[in-house]
Amino acid sequence: MIKNIIFDLGGVIIDLSFDKMTTRFEELGFHDFKQYFSAKQQNITFEALELGKISSEQFYESIRQISGEQLKDEEIEEAWNLILNPFVAERMKFLEKVASKFQIYLFSNTNAIHAKKFEEDCLDQFGKPLCSYFSDLYYSHLLHQRKPNPEAFETVLKQANIKAEETLFVDDNWENIQGAKLVGLRTHHLLNEDLCSIDLIKLMQ
């Protein structure tokens, strides 16, 4: 019996704008940005940021070194945050509805810069913090682990004190889905559909 649901953030709750972010970095002089960061691959610098191995300041300096441009921290932060679209009100209402029947959690591969931005956006848009929608939040840069590594899922399950067989994991990334299955999580690959269209009753059967 499913008692808990773990949601991904990017691509599930928030839509991501890779093109908008890439265009802005190119305008700033980082012309080969796609070679270092895209929806399919990431340079080691970006992975280090998601794992909390480097600080935001170290990330900004790395971007200057990689791009060869003397960009200001604020310029890099603004461009980097363009990947995040505003929250969709209907999805947040859906989460509130789901939370009335299940314990829900957020597990995101993210970083300190993005987390600060989307948490501020949630508060600005809805007047309440993102944490109020979930039983708990798990960010890769704080866990020092990231999806799709099975160990990352095991850490979340342990910290949340929930069982894999009683938990559904929802993500739009196929590799993350496979990692979740390895630890016994029930899964739903959100593909070509909106979060609000999920029929949770069918998924529980």
Side-chain angles (χ1 to χ4, degrees):
M1 179 180 178
I2 297 297
K3 298 179 180 178
N4 321 290
I5 304 177
I6 300 175
F7 292 98
D8 175 43
L9 181 76
V12 173
I13 296 173
I14 293 180
D15 292 323
L16 302 180
S17 293
F18 287 91
D19 289 344
K20 188 188 299 183
M21 175 184 62
T22 299
T23 297
R24 183 56 182 149
F25 271 115
E26 290 175 346
E27 291 173 348
L28 291 171
F30 196 158
H31 300 298
D32 54 351
F33 182 79
K34 283 184 179 179
Q35 294 183 23
Y36 294 91
F37 187 89
S38 69
K40 296 182 178 180
Q41 64 179 4
Q42 295 182 29
N43 172 272
I44 190 171
T45 296
F46 298 95
E47 290 188 0
L49 186 66
E50 278 197 348
L51 286 168
K53 291 183 176 180
I54 61 173
S55 65
S56 300
E57 291 72 24
Q58 290 172 316
F59 173 70
Y60 297 144
E61 183 57 35
S62 293
I63 292 296
R64 282 189 281 269
Q65 292 178 5
I66 296 171
S67 67
E69 299 290 331
Q70 292 304 307
L71 305 174
K72 297 178 181 179
D73 289 357
E74 295 78 13
E75 292 177 314
I76 299 171
E77 179 181 358
E78 181 267 340
W80 182 232
N81 281 336
L82 285 177
I83 194 174
L84 301 170
N85 280 320
F87 286 87
V88 179
E90 289 75 12
R91 295 178 194 173
M92 304 310 284
K93 290 179 181 178
F94 177 79
L95 291 177
E96 290 178 325
K97 181 179 179 181
V98 174
S100 68
K101 299 180 180 179
F102 303 92
Q103 294 292 315
I104 68 171
Y105 302 84
L106 180 67
F107 180 22
S108 177
N109 284 350
T110 190
N111 57 83
I113 303 169
H114 283 165
K116 179 176 180 288
K117 172 62 174 173
F118 61 67
E119 287 185 345
E120 288 177 349
D121 286 349
C122 184
L123 190 59
D124 289 342
Q125 284 186 249
F126 306 110
K128 55 185 179 179
L130 184 62
C131 63
S132 68
Y133 289 88
F134 299 92
S135 295
D136 216 335
L137 311 174
Y138 298 97
Y139 298 153
S140 62
H141 70 285
L142 298 179
L143 294 175
H144 305 296
Q145 294 176 309
R146 65 197 293 270
K147 300 173 289 186
N149 294 336
E151 294 82 3
F153 290 103
E154 290 174 345
T155 296
V156 169
L157 289 169
K158 182 178 181 180
Q159 291 191 10
N161 194 28
I162 57 178
K163 298 178 180 179
E165 62 269 22
E166 296 177 346
T167 306
L168 174 70
F169 174 65
V170 180
D171 199 305
D172 69 326
N173 183 295
W174 178 247
E175 291 184 353
N176 293 342
I177 292 293
Q178 298 312 301
K181 287 182 177 180
L182 289 176
V183 301
L185 285 161
R186 293 273 294 275
T187 62
H188 178 67
H189 186 204
L190 191 69
L191 185 64
N192 298 324
E193 61 179 322
D194 187 78
L195 176 66
C196 300
S197 67
I198 295 178
D199 190 335
L200 291 171
I201 300 301
K202 289 184 178 180
L203 292 179
M204 302 310 164
Q205 297 175 348

